[in-house]
Amino acid sequence: MRFKRRDREDPEINLIPFIDVLLVVLIFLMLTATFSRYTQLQVRLPEADADAAQAQAREIVVEVGPDGRYAVSGQMLAASSVQALTLALQQAAEGQTEPTLVINADAAATHQSVIHVMEAARNAGLQHITFATQQPRGR
């Protein structure tokens, strides 16, 4: 008996539908992805070449020296701990509604010293923080 053999076609893998599905999934993930933002303090960074801002009565100025010492509204602090800085900021903010904290750090001050000021501001309940800058020389 002779059975008729069917010619088998070579199997073909078509990647186009697979790529289409992957692109649709990628677009869906991009549109639905949420980016978490961790913010405890609202920080507004000033522009360096802006005109000098008008002095506000509700400002608390914290100066950070190159050696890590702090001065709050012109008064040097004996200790440079976060707790002492928090206490000084609370005293400076008494009786003021929503004061603005101005951090005036020396260029040689460590990053950690500025972070301590921001942590003390959070502990003291101050939400408005800005950084003092100076205009570049030669302008």
Side-chain angles (χ1 to χ4, degrees):
M1 231 193 230
R2 264 189 197 178
F3 290 107
K4 190 174 181 180
R5 288 183 132 184
R6 292 184 182 172
D7 291 332
R8 291 187 177 174
E9 294 180 17
D10 291 332
E12 182 180 320
I13 298 175
N14 194 354
L15 292 178
I16 293 173
F18 179 70
I19 292 172
D20 288 343
V21 170
L22 282 180
L23 285 175
V24 169
V25 170
L26 180 66
I27 290 171
F28 176 78
L29 289 176
M30 287 174 56
L31 293 176
T32 60
T34 58
F35 300 99
S36 59
R37 295 175 62 185
Y38 299 101
T39 57
Q40 290 187 357
L41 297 173
Q42 294 177 355
V43 178
R44 292 182 310 173
L45 297 176
E47 294 181 8
D49 34 31
D51 293 334
Q54 299 292 329
Q56 295 181 355
R58 297 180 292 146
E59 283 186 350
I60 300 171
V61 178
V62 176
E63 297 173 5
V64 182
D67 55 353
R69 296 187 338 175
Y70 303 107
V72 177
S73 297
Q75 301 289 330
M76 289 295 297
L77 297 181
S80 60
S81 66
V82 175
Q83 292 81 11
L85 191 55
T86 302
L87 246 153
L89 289 175
Q90 287 173 342
Q91 290 173 356
E94 279 183 7
Q96 296 184 21
T97 56
E98 297 185 18
T100 300
L101 179 67
V102 178
I103 300 174
N104 188 4
D106 188 89
T110 62
H111 181 71
Q112 186 64 44
S113 299
V114 177
I115 296 299
H116 281 272
V117 174
M118 294 173 68
E119 183 180 354
R122 182 178 55 89
N123 292 341
L126 301 174
Q127 296 180 353
H128 302 288
I129 297 177
T130 187
F131 294 89
T133 60
Q134 68 182 18
Q135 291 185 349
R137 292 182 182 166
R139 281 195 171 206

